[in-house]
Amino acid sequence: MKRIKRGLIFPERYDEAKKALGRKKIEEISLPEEIIIPMSQHIGAPASPIVSVGERVLVGQKVADSEAFISAPMHSSVSGEVKAIEPRLGGDGKKVLSIVITPDDKEETISFKGLSDEEAKDPDRVRAAVREAGVVGMGGAGFPTHVKLTPPKDKPIFDVIINGGECEPYLAADHRNFLERGDKILDGLKIIMATVGAKRGYIGIETNKIDAIYHMDKLASSEGNIKVMPLNAIYPQGAEKQLIETILGKEVPSGGLPSDVGALVQNAGTAAAISEAVRGGRPLIERTISVSGHGMASFTNIRAKIGTPISHIIEECGGFKGKIGKVVVGGPMTGVALFDLSVPVIKGTSGVIAFTVEDTSIPNPRPCIRCGRCVDICPVRIMPNYISQYIEVDQVDRADDFDVMDCIECGLCSYVCPATRPFIQLIRHAKAKIIAEQKREEK
């Protein structure tokens, strides 16, 4: 059994709750009163609207696009009328230009057309189809997938890994994707391998999803160059660079990319979206989401249309239970706490988790007590204690000297810190300043 060298095994009660959620089939929910399509749902340039207020749109119709290489188009997830094009609140607390659509309940769909088997052998046509479908990484990062399928020519890709390390508590969306859409995930993996010329494929799944391991192993049994790799359930096993080190035994260098070691990693849901885009020409307009947490009336896995308000999802899943302390989109370790439930589901939304007041506490950060727990547990072997203290006195250049840009923001340092230091917030602040300075120097 393979596992990362440093990480955390969560208490058993979290694992049992996760397994119970993994046994729940993906359910459909009703249409909301309005769909909100933000123009920025990915890393890269935002898209621009190509429809007008009052225009009728169909399911799958492209409603926004960009000429930038690192970007992706947006599509309507419903049929209905464009009600407004205006700034709306996003999950990060900022307002972003959005297309607001009033669904008409007719679900009228445009005609999708995929590539033929012969066309699908052409890497450029595959990349174009994936881009046209607006596919981006669905694990949270949101990197445009057609860019990821275009590695530098001097860095050949030998190994493709499907990331089944859904290692945060309360999430089981990819677990269900393996069980209910495993054939598309496997097909997506084969398309990726053929497009980048990789010789070997791996599907890494943690052992708390044993039914998914058996299912995918059975599906892949006739594929001589694809292996299902059982992994120990430990956080943050699903981080891209950690998964490469676990499965391939290769360490991505500081500041480097997976292509530096000949590897490419894709989320399981993204692989299924690639298959749908290439075989059927279907754009990315919906995704699987886990709705859980002790503040929810029930734990559910749902299929949500991109643009569905979080408030509608909570209502559809039975509403809150008890006094709510916090609602998070994403996982409890890497997700973002919401202060307004009107924000919509975007392509990278993997979960909606409601915590009760009893589950949450207001941190009271204190000066570092030099216990070293954050250093001992850090999976990328940096020193959050020193880094955070340099950032607090505005010496971001010294934090950069201590490899702050290598931080994967897993949150383990804050989780184990007895002084409840706000490491992640400080590190994100430093990263933003360093990136802004780099952009200024490039101009």
Side-chain angles (χ1 to χ4, degrees):
M1 195 74 62
K2 294 196 171 188
R3 55 163 286 181
I4 53 176
K5 294 174 183 173
R6 292 184 181 189
L8 179 73
I9 297 174
F10 289 109
E12 192 172 336
R13 65 179 185 278
Y14 289 124
D15 200 40
E16 291 304 315
K18 192 179 179 78
K19 287 178 181 175
L21 184 61
R23 289 192 286 271
K24 298 210 169 184
K25 290 184 177 180
I26 302 169
E27 299 178 6
E28 299 290 335
I29 61 171
S30 70
L31 288 176
E33 291 184 359
E34 65 176 18
I35 287 285
I36 306 160
I37 311 287
M39 295 297 94
S40 184
Q41 299 187 35
H42 51 259
I43 293 173
S48 299
I50 55 175
V51 292
S52 306
V53 174
E55 184 175 338
R56 183 162 189 267
V57 294
L58 305 181
V59 177
Q61 179 179 332
K62 188 160 66 174
V63 295
D65 206 344
S66 168
E67 294 183 355
F69 178 58
I70 303 180
S71 186
M74 310 293 174
H75 303 76
S76 177
S77 54
V78 295
S79 62
E81 181 179 315
V82 177
K83 172 183 170 185
I85 300 176
E86 61 188 19
R88 287 291 185 99
L89 197 63
D92 60 358
K94 298 177 183 175
K95 286 195 171 182
V96 58
L97 184 65
S98 304
I99 298 174
V100 184
I101 302 169
T102 303
D104 60 11
D105 295 333
K106 295 180 180 175
E107 291 292 275
E108 196 173 345
T109 306
I110 66 167
S111 177
F112 300 132
K113 186 176 185 302
L115 302 181
S116 66
D117 290 344
E118 192 61 30
E119 290 171 336
K121 293 177 182 175
D122 182 341
D124 288 337
R125 296 196 74 151
V126 169
R127 293 183 189 107
V130 169
R131 188 210 175 275
E132 192 63 17
V135 181
V136 304
M138 298 171 74
F143 197 80
T145 302
H146 66 280
V147 181
K148 214 168 182 179
L149 295 179
T150 315
K153 290 183 179 177
D154 61 340
K155 294 179 180 178
I157 302 297
F158 303 107
D159 303 291
V160 175
I161 300 173
I162 295 301
N163 188 352
E166 192 173 39
C167 49
E168 291 196 60
Y170 299 108
L171 298 181
D174 282 342
H175 186 170
R176 292 310 310 180
N177 278 331
F178 279 123
L179 294 176
E180 299 183 41
R181 307 171 72 210
D183 54 342
K184 291 184 177 177
I185 294 173
L186 181 62
D187 184 53
L189 171 57
K190 291 193 288 187
I191 291 171
I192 298 168
M193 291 171 63
T195 302
V196 300
K199 294 185 171 72
R200 299 171 292 269
Y202 302 90
I203 303 172
I205 306 176
E206 293 181 313
T207 52
N208 55 2
K209 311 171 191 64
I210 199 71
D211 50 353
I213 291 174
Y214 281 122
H215 181 64
M216 294 307 298
D217 198 45
K218 185 177 178 182
L219 287 178
S221 59
S222 61
E223 308 290 341
N225 57 347
I226 293 177
K227 288 183 180 178
V228 176
M229 305 291 288
L231 310 169
N232 264 357
I234 182 170
Y235 180 80
Q237 185 86 265
E240 186 174 70
K241 294 180 181 178
Q242 280 57 49
L243 197 61
I244 290 172
E245 188 169 355
T246 301
I247 291 180
L248 304 180
K250 297 178 179 178
E251 184 174 344
V252 179
S254 174
L257 296 170
S259 59
D260 291 322
V261 294
L264 188 153
V265 180
Q266 283 288 4
N267 165 266
T270 312
I274 290 171
S275 171
E276 291 179 341
V278 173
R279 306 298 184 194
R282 184 176 175 80
L284 179 54
I285 54 174
E286 55 186 13
R287 65 156 298 146
T288 310
I289 294 175
S290 291
V291 184
S292 61
H294 296 117
M296 285 300 303
S298 63
F299 284 21
T300 321
N301 295 302
I302 62 166
R303 193 85 176 145
K305 294 184 179 298
I306 303 299
T308 303
I310 300 298
S311 56
H312 180 76
I313 289 176
I314 291 170
E315 186 179 337
E316 281 285 301
C317 295
F320 291 134
K321 181 179 69 178
K323 191 172 182 181
I324 301 302
K326 185 191 293 185
V327 176
V328 171
V329 287
M333 298 296 289
T334 59
V336 177
L338 299 178
F339 64 88
D340 189 318
L341 300 180
S342 68
V343 304
V345 167
I346 61 174
K347 296 175 182 179
T349 304
S350 57
V352 175
I353 307 170
F355 295 100
T356 63
V357 170
E358 291 75 24
D359 290 330
T360 56
S361 61
I362 298 174
N364 180 26
R366 301 184 298 280
C368 176
I369 61 173
R370 302 177 186 279
C371 66
R373 292 184 189 179
C374 60
V375 178
D376 289 340
I377 203 165
C378 178
V380 292
R381 297 187 288 276
I382 60 175
M383 304 179 77
N385 51 350
Y386 287 154
I387 288 172
S388 64
Q389 291 175 78
Y390 282 128
I391 298 169
E392 283 178 323
V393 295
D394 203 26
Q395 293 188 18
V396 175
D397 55 336
R398 293 301 312 274
D400 199 12
D401 292 341
F402 277 81
D403 300 322
V404 65
M405 296 303 288
D406 282 345
C407 174
I408 59 173
E409 302 180 22
C410 67
L412 279 180
C413 46
S414 293
Y415 186 87
V416 300
C417 178
T420 63
R421 303 269 296 159
F423 291 113
I424 296 303
Q425 289 80 2
L426 290 167
I427 285 173
R428 285 175 178 162
H429 171 70
K431 282 182 168 181
K433 290 192 75 170
I434 291 169
I435 292 171
E437 182 61 30
Q438 289 172 343
K439 288 183 177 177
R440 271 195 296 273
E441 291 176 355
E442 289 170 2
K443 288 182 178 177

